[in-house]
Amino acid sequence: MRSLYFLLPQTHVLFFGPLECARHTFGSVFDDPRASILVIDDVQSSLGSTEDLVEQAVLELSAKDPTIRGFVLCSACQTAFLGIDIEALCWTLHQRTGLCFAHVEANRMAVGNIPGPQRKNVPGGDRFHIRKSLFKMLEQGVGKDGLVKTVPQHEASSGNAKRSDGGSGAEKRPSGILVLSNEVLADDNDLKAYLDLDGIEWVRSVADLPGFDEFLDSASSAVVIATTTAWREAGEYLANAFKLPFLYLPTSYDPEEIEAYYQQLDRLLAGHGCAAQWEELRSKRASRAHAAKTQLETLRGCDLGATLDLRGVSRPFSLLRFFASMGIGFDGVEVSRQRVVHVEDDDRDAFEWVCAEDQEFGQRLKGVKSSRRRGKGKALRTASANNTPPETVTLWGAKDAAASHEVTAAFPSNTMSAALKEASWWGYSSMFKLFDELMGGIGSSLKSAGCEEGGVES
Amino acid sequence: MKGLWSKHVPFASDISGCMSVFAQSSALAVSQDSNGSVSCLRKILDPDALPAFFDSVDLSDLSYAGGDEDRFHQRLVDMLNEFNAGMGSKGTGDSFIVLLDGPVAALLGVDLRSRAQNLSAALGHTVLAIETTGNKYYDKGIELAYQEIVKQIPSSSVKREGILLLGLNPLDFPDPSFVQPLRASLAESGKQVVSDLGYSDSLDAWEQLPAAESSIVMSASGLRTARKLQQEQGLSFTRIDELDSWDAWVHGLDLSSCGRTLILGEQLQSNLLRRLLRKAGVEHVNVASFFICDKTCREDGDVKLISESDLTALVDSGYSTFIADASFASFAGDCRFFALTHLPSGMRIYDGGSLSQQWFHDLAAACK
C-alpha cells in the first residue's frame, strides 16, 4: 500500500479520520516526509469540523514544503457515514490554493471500492480504486480544452508561499507512452524503441514520473498501457475522462502474443513518425524477435535445475506453460492462496492446463479451495511482493535432448532470489529478462558448456 | 496544529489497549472496527502464543451497521465455535466473549450492552461489553477494561489479605521479568498477589478480587479503578514509583552526566524511571506524556503533551538527555537520546530495550 500512495511525485498524502483508523491504515508511513495524519475525533467530526480541519492542515503542510503540488486526501469510514462531500472539498481547496487534490477512500464499505461481490478474493482488489483515484487529480490540472494548465502564481490569503512555476494559462504538453505500473521501466524496455518516432517524446511508467509536471503530461499520452489487472480501472478511467487510447496488454512470454500486442500499438501510433522511422523500428523489433527465439533454442538444450521465484510474476501459470513449450519441465508449484482462489482471466486457460499437467498441484488445490482459512484473528494484509508468502516452482531437465548444447552435469537446485518484477519489462525484453534469470540461476556451468548467457544485444 | 502528525504516527487506540488486557485470558475479543485494532496488536503481540483470540467484525459485512442483529449474532456464534475448537488444551478456564466498539459503531450509537446481554442469554457465556470508540488512546481502553472486569466480580465476605496489581498490561510491560523484583519483595513480606487483572491470569482468578486488601498501581491506567476500589471497598493503594523494589537496579551507578533529562512515556513507569535516575545522581528529571497524566502523580515541570509540535518545543527547551521509545529519536535535536521501548507509541518499529537492570547498565556505559 505504501508504494501506491506515494507514486505521484511532489504530492503529499494526508490521511484524516479517527485515531483507530489512522494508526491501522497509516502506521506504515512512520517518519515519511511525504505523509501526514490528521486525527479527527468523533466530537469534531460530529460537529462538522472536518472540512475546516483538513484545510488548516493542507495550508500548514504546504507552507512548510512549497514543493508540494498535490495532495492525496485519504478518508476513512467515519467520514463516509457522515456524508462529507470530499470531492467538493477537493475542488474548493484547489480553487483556494492552486494545488491539485485527489481523494482516496480508505473506507472499505464504499461501493466504488469493491470491484466485485467477492472483493476479498481478488488479490489487492480492495486497492484498485487507489490507482484510479490518484489520476483523478488530473481533472484539476487539465483544462476543459484538454490542455494542461500550469499552476498560476498566487498568494493565498493565509500567507501561503508564492508559487512561481512560471507560465500563464494553458499550454500543450509533450506526448508519449504511459505505462500504468508501480515499477520503473527498465532501460532496455521494448517500448522505448518508440522514442525514435517523431511526436513520441517520452515513454514512462507511473513510477518513472520525475515531477508533477510530467504527471500532468499523462493527459496528453499518445497511448496508455496497463500490464496488470490492478491498473485496468485506472486505464479505463483515463480513456473515458481524457479520451486517451488505452490498451490492456499483460506481460507475455509468447512471441506470437507479443507480436499481436505490437500490431495494436503500431496501429494506434500510426500518426507519429515517418515511414523511414517505422521501417527502422520494425527492423529492430524483428531482430529482437529473432534473438529471443534463438535464446529459446539455447535454453531448450540446457539441463536446468533451478527454483524460480514467482512473486512479482503477474501471469505465473502462463509462464509455466511457456516453459513447457520450451521443453522445460516443472514441478513443485507453490503459489499463494490468493492466486488460486482468484485466477486472473488472462491466466485462466494456462491455470487449467497446469492443474492437468501437475496432478499433485491439482490435488492440493482442492484442499485450499474447500477449507476456510482460520487463524487466530485476521491476518495482516500485505501489499508488497516482498512480503507475500514464498511462491516458487522448480524447473528441471530438458525434455527435448536434440538441441546442440547439452550439459550433463548435475546441478544443485539454485534459488533465484530476485523476483522477476516483470512489469518493468515488456515484449521481447520480458523474455530476455527471464532468460537472464534462468541463466543466472544455472550459473557458470553453462559458460563452460558454451551456452550463451545474458540478454541479446539488439 | 493539534491532531496533525507529520514526524510520528498517532498511538495505539483504546480498542487495542482494551484487547491487551484480555490477552492471557480464555477470551474471544471482538471489535467492531474492520480489523484495525487486531492488526495493530499483531504487530506487537504474538497472537499464536496467546490464549485469547482477537477478531473483528468487518465493516463491509454491514451486518452490525445495518441493524441486522440475526446476522451479527450468527457471526459471533460461528466465531465462538471456532474459538472453542481451537482452544483445546490451551484453555485456562471458562471462555468468555468481549465485545468492543469502533469509531463507526460508536458514531451510529450501536447499543453494545444490549447486544452483549442478548448474546449472553443465547449462548450461555459471559459477554462483556466495553464501549471503546477508537478515538482515545490505549490507556483509556485499559481503564475501561478494568472497570468492566470489576463490575463483573460480586462482592464477597472472604478474608482480605492479598495484593491486587492494577495497570499491569502487556503494552506498557512487554517484559514479564520486570515484575519479578516486585513479586519477590511481596513474597518476602508474606504478601500474595491475588490477581494482576489479565497480565497473567483470567476470569477465574479475577473472582478472587474480593480477597485483596490493597492494590499496587503499575501504570496510570489503573489509577481510576484503584480510587474506585478505595472508595467503595476500602482498598488502599500504592503507586509503583513509591516502591523501592527496583532500587537495586541502579545500585553503584553514576548517571549524573545525563544532566537535565526528559522522559517521554507512560506516566507512572516514567516516574519510576525518574526515581531510579535520581538515585543514580541525575538531579533534574521531568516526565512528559501524551497519555493519562494524573495531576497527583506530577511534579513541577512535568508536561501533558497534546500535539507533535508540543513535544518538539519541549525537547528544544534546554534538555541534555531525552529518553523515549526509539521511534522518537528524530525529535531529539541536540539532546543525547536513549531508547526505551513503549509499544503503544512505537509499535516495535524500532527496538529499544525494556526497563531492566541491564538497560540501566547500558545507559551508564553510554554515559561514560
Side-chain angles (χ1 to χ4, degrees), chain B residues 74-294:
Chain B
Q74 187 57 49
R75 181 78 189 279
L76 265 293
V77 168
D78 291 343
M79 279 187 195
L80 185 63
N81 288 337
E82 290 191 46
F83 168 60
N84 285 331
M87 281 288 287
S89 59
K90 274 190 179 181
T92 56
D94 290 337
S95 60
F96 60 101
I97 301 172
V98 182
L99 295 184
L100 300 117
D101 252 343
V104 172
L107 197 68
L108 290 174
V110 172
D111 189 346
L112 197 66
R113 293 200 179 274
S114 289
R115 280 194 155 168
Q117 283 170 4
N118 293 341
L119 214 55
S120 180
L123 301 178
H125 270 71
T126 301
V127 181
L128 307 184
I130 304 183
E131 288 164 331
T132 48
T133 65
N135 284 288
K136 293 186 164 47
Y137 289 141
Y138 79 102
D139 49 353
K140 289 294 185 183
I142 295 172
E143 217 177 53
L144 287 173
Y146 288 156
Q147 287 172 26
E148 193 60 33
I149 290 171
V150 167
K151 257 194 233 174
Q152 300 293 318
I153 309 301
S155 56
S156 165
S157 57
V158 297
K159 189 177 177 188
R160 292 179 171 273
E161 55 188 357
I163 302 290
L164 175 67
L165 297 182
L166 287 168
L168 188 57
N169 67 85
L171 299 186
D172 287 320
F173 300 94
D175 184 359
S177 66
F178 171 83
V179 199
Q180 288 314 311
L182 176 61
R183 291 191 192 271
S185 65
L186 289 174
E188 270 175 32
S189 55
K191 298 287 183 186
Q192 190 178 8
V193 173
V194 158
S195 172
D196 53 29
L197 279 200
Y199 191 65
S200 66
D201 59 17
S202 185
L203 196 56
D204 48 354
W206 302 342
E207 288 167 359
Q208 308 306 314
L209 197 151
E213 67 166 346
S214 64
S215 66
I216 296 175
V217 184
M218 306 291 287
S219 69
S221 55
L223 280 171
R224 179 172 286 198
T225 303
R227 290 182 178 128
K228 187 173 163 67
L229 289 173
Q230 183 180 50
Q231 192 177 11
E232 293 177 359
Q233 299 182 28
L235 259 72
S236 60
F237 71 90
T238 316
R239 298 192 325 246
I240 182 179
D241 53 322
E242 294 171 325
L243 301 174
D244 60 6
S245 304
W246 293 271
D247 288 0
W249 282 2
V250 293
H251 181 67
L253 294 182
D254 179 5
L255 298 173
S256 55
S257 63
C258 284
R260 194 161 169 253
T261 299
L262 177 66
I263 303 168
L264 176 69
E266 185 282 315
Q267 186 183 32
L268 292 196
Q269 206 177 149
S270 298
N271 280 357
L272 173 64
L273 175 54
R274 170 163 48 196
R275 174 196 170 98
L276 298 176
L277 287 174
R278 281 181 174 152
K279 287 196 176 298
V282 185
E283 288 187 10
H284 192 136
V285 186
N286 286 126
V287 167
S289 181
F290 284 100
F291 311 110
I292 294 174
C293 213
D294 193 274

Side-chain angles (χ1 to χ4, degrees), chain A residues 310 313-322 333 335 339-340 342-344 347-355 361 365:
Chain A
L310 291 174
V313 176
S314 66
R315 297 169 74 195
F317 305 110
S318 298
L319 181 63
L320 298 183
R321 188 162 62 176
F322 164 73
V333 179
V335 292
R339 296 260 211 199
V340 166
H342 177 84
V343 180
E344 297 293 347
D347 216 15
R348 178 151 294 281
D349 279 349
F351 170 72
E352 303 291 344
W353 180 88
V354 168
C355 289
F361 177 67
L365 277 191

